Amino acid sequence: MVAQIQELDALHWVKTRSSLDPSQSTFLMWTGKIYSFIPTEKRKLLFKILGLSISRCIPIAEGSWYFTSRELTYYLDPETGEMLRKWENPWTGEIVPVIHVANNPVQGKFQGKFPAHVEGDTTTFVFDIFPTYPNLLAEDPKFAEYSPYATYQAAELFKLTVPTADLFNSELLSVSQLRLSWDRIGQWLPWMKMGDRPGNLIYSATGGKVGGLTELPQLLQDEINNRIPLYKQAPKAYLEGEDMTSWLYFQKHFQAYLAGEIFPIPETEDF
């Protein structure tokens, strides 16, 4: 069967990505790998990854919602799968602290129409995103060894597949299942201390929705329960200010990085 492109309402996307119930926090998790991609060099498997997004959609008006979320991604040893606290850079030999992803918040607004590939029993939302903007770290000489490029540039390729029937079942506030495919091309992470060495990181991950905290892998449960309880739920309201990114997080916690502290840094409630 050939997929048909259909324009679906924002309501269907809200059910896919999160939930129509604003009192509910929705967990989406992923696992995958990160490779180096350097001209003329054979690729290296640098890390396995394990992450989650915990989100909430808050109605604004008919057909319009605020999306608010927090994201975690942990960098794991490529052989053992254990969480990394330190990493030996294979190009420089330097051992550096690992800053795991803790983006709080990640937000947006859902409204209008969303194109989807409808293929019988399944529907797939496809999003190819190419963020490009000035790199604030490049403006400060102290970050020259970490992220000297004037422009931040990446590619994020998402595919989210759900049961077609769930989208149009008015009794369901969230789809019963979701398959996530996520690929990314990105620059060296600042904490890797790669300077201006040529090359990129290639991310390849898959995942889906889970029913709650107790259905997450034990590593994530332990981290959330013991170190970062803020990630037990999504923000209860849309938060003012810009989205957190790995680059801004590095800038914010640079002194903690130099001190070799354990990441993510615990946070307090911010609403």
Side-chain angles (χ1 to χ4, degrees):
M1 179 180 295
V2 178
Q4 302 294 320
I5 307 298
Q6 296 186 20
E7 295 284 329
L8 300 184
D9 293 333
L11 175 146
H12 301 115
W13 173 240
V14 171
K15 292 176 65 170
T16 295
R17 182 60 184 83
S18 191
S19 172
L20 292 170
D21 182 356
S23 70
Q24 179 181 340
S25 290
T26 301
F27 286 87
L28 176 65
M29 64 154 288
W30 51 84
T31 60
K33 298 177 179 179
I34 300 179
Y35 303 90
S36 65
F37 190 74
I38 299 174
T40 74
E41 282 193 21
K42 185 178 179 180
R43 67 105 173 104
K44 287 185 175 69
L45 173 58
L46 299 178
F47 313 107
K48 292 180 179 177
I49 55 173
L50 173 64
L52 69 82
S53 164
I54 181 165
S55 66
R56 187 190 313 273
C57 281
I58 303 166
I60 306 170
E62 184 69 27
S64 181
W65 290 262
Y66 279 132
F67 170 82
T68 183
S69 72
R70 318 184 205 272
E71 293 179 352
L72 295 170
T73 295
Y74 285 87
Y75 302 101
L76 313 178
D77 185 284
E79 300 297 331
T80 67
E82 296 180 355
M83 185 195 312
L84 292 171
R85 298 299 187 194
K86 302 285 186 179
W87 178 68
E88 183 175 353
N89 186 317
W91 294 279
T92 68
E94 187 170 1
I95 297 175
V96 295
V98 175
I99 299 186
H100 302 288
V101 175
N103 291 339
N104 174 43
V106 178
Q107 302 187 123
K109 182 185 286 188
F110 296 159
Q111 61 185 7
K113 298 290 185 179
F114 288 76
H117 299 247
V118 181
E119 189 172 6
D121 294 339
T122 61
T123 294
T124 301
F125 293 89
V126 178
F127 297 97
D128 295 339
I129 303 170
F130 297 85
T132 303
Y133 50 81
N135 174 21
L136 296 179
L137 297 185
E139 300 174 2
D140 191 331
K142 72 182 178 185
F143 296 121
E145 294 181 290
Y146 304 94
S147 184
Y149 298 106
T151 301
Y152 171 87
Q153 190 170 24
E156 307 258 4
L157 312 175
F158 296 93
K159 298 175 181 64
L160 297 91
T161 301
V162 299
T164 303
D166 285 6
L167 296 176
F168 301 98
N169 183 345
S170 60
E171 296 182 1
L172 289 179
L173 300 179
S174 181
V175 295
S176 62
Q177 55 184 297
L178 180 152
R179 298 196 309 274
L180 167 70
S181 171
W182 170 50
D183 299 297
R184 183 176 190 271
I185 303 170
Q187 294 165 330
W188 306 120
L189 295 159
W191 62 261
M192 296 172 70
K193 202 174 180 182
M194 290 290 282
D196 60 358
R197 288 175 178 267
N200 290 97
L201 297 174
I202 305 292
Y203 298 61
S204 177
T206 59
K209 281 186 175 180
V210 298
L213 180 63
T214 58
E215 294 186 18
L216 293 172
Q218 196 62 47
L219 184 155
L220 292 176
Q221 290 191 50
D222 290 345
E223 282 287 290
I224 293 171
N225 285 325
N226 301 326
R227 295 194 66 253
I228 46 174
L230 186 64
Y231 286 78
K232 288 184 177 181
Q233 62 178 345
K236 295 178 181 176
Y238 190 86
L239 304 177
E240 296 300 324
E242 61 186 330
D243 284 1
M244 181 57 68
T245 69
S246 293
W247 271 248
L248 290 176
Y249 192 85
F250 183 81
Q251 182 184 49
K252 178 180 179 180
H253 295 292
F254 185 54
Q255 292 305 314
Y257 167 84
L258 294 178
E261 295 189 25
I262 294 176
F263 288 87
I265 301 296
E267 297 179 66
T268 58
E269 206 75 78
D270 47 8
F271 52 85

